[in-house]
Amino acid sequence: RAKVRDPRLVECLAQVILSRQPASGPSPEKVSTPLVDASDDTPQTWNGMNIGLICNALVKLGCWDPALFAHLAGMAHHAPASSFRPQAIGNMANAFARAGIRNESLFALLSARAQACDPAAFNPQAVSNIVNACVRCSYPDHALFAFLAAAVVEIPLARFNGQS
C-alpha cells in the first residue's frame, strides 16, 4: 500500500482546513454545521465522521501539528451531535492519541457523544479505539468506561477478533 509523504500535501490540506470557520446560524445540535471557505464562500458541511477521518488521515501522513488538531477539535464542538456515531468517535479519539495530543475539551465532548449513542451501535473496534485513546492520553473517564463496559457485554462474542 503506497504512502504519501509529500509535505506539500500536508501543508495544503492544513491551509484548507484552517481557512474554514464556523458560520453563524442555528444550534449545531439541530443542523449540519455550514463552514465557509474564506476563499470562495462555498458552504461545506463538516460532521463527526468527516472530522474523524481527516484527523486519521493527517496522522497517517505524519502531521502532528497541535494548532491544526486544536482547530479540528474546535470544529468537532460545532458538528451536530447526531453525526457522532461510535466509529467517528473512535476515529477521532484514536487520531488525537496517535498524534500525542491530549485535548481535554475534545475528549469530554467525545465522551458525552459516546454516552448518547445507543449501546447496541458499538462494535469491538470502536470500543477498543476509544478506550485505548483514553488510556494513551491519560483521560480516565469512569462514566464513559462504565458505559462502554455495559455495551461490550451486549456484543456477541463472534464479533470479536484479535484486533479488538
Side-chain angles (χ1 to χ4, degrees), residues 9-145:
L9 174 64
V10 175
E11 290 170 16
C12 180
L13 182 59
Q15 289 174 4
V16 169
I17 293 167
L18 292 171
S19 73
R20 277 140 171 87
Q21 298 297 322
S24 60
S27 163
E29 301 298 324
K30 296 182 180 169
V31 297
S32 294
T33 304
L35 301 177
V36 178
D37 179 338
S39 63
D40 66 6
D41 293 333
T42 303
Q44 303 292 323
T45 301
W46 286 36
N47 61 42
M49 184 58 80
N50 300 136
I51 298 166
L53 291 172
I54 289 169
C55 290
N56 260 336
L58 289 169
V59 170
K60 285 181 181 180
L61 289 170
C63 176
W64 301 292
D65 180 352
L68 180 57
F69 275 82
H71 186 77
L72 287 164
M75 299 315 259
H77 282 278
H78 290 0
S82 62
S83 71
F84 285 87
R85 293 183 184 94
Q87 182 183 354
I89 295 164
N91 284 345
M92 200 175 309
N94 186 47
F96 272 75
R98 288 174 54 208
I101 299 171
R102 184 179 193 270
N103 185 313
E104 285 203 36
S105 176
L106 175 71
F107 275 82
L109 173 74
L110 296 178
S111 173
R113 297 297 186 248
Q115 293 177 67
C117 290
D118 178 358
F122 283 85
N123 63 35
Q125 188 65 50
V127 172
S128 64
N129 281 349
I130 295 166
V131 171
N132 183 47
C134 288
V135 170
R136 289 176 67 179
C137 289
S138 299
Y139 187 78
D141 186 327
H142 300 289
L144 175 61
F145 292 164

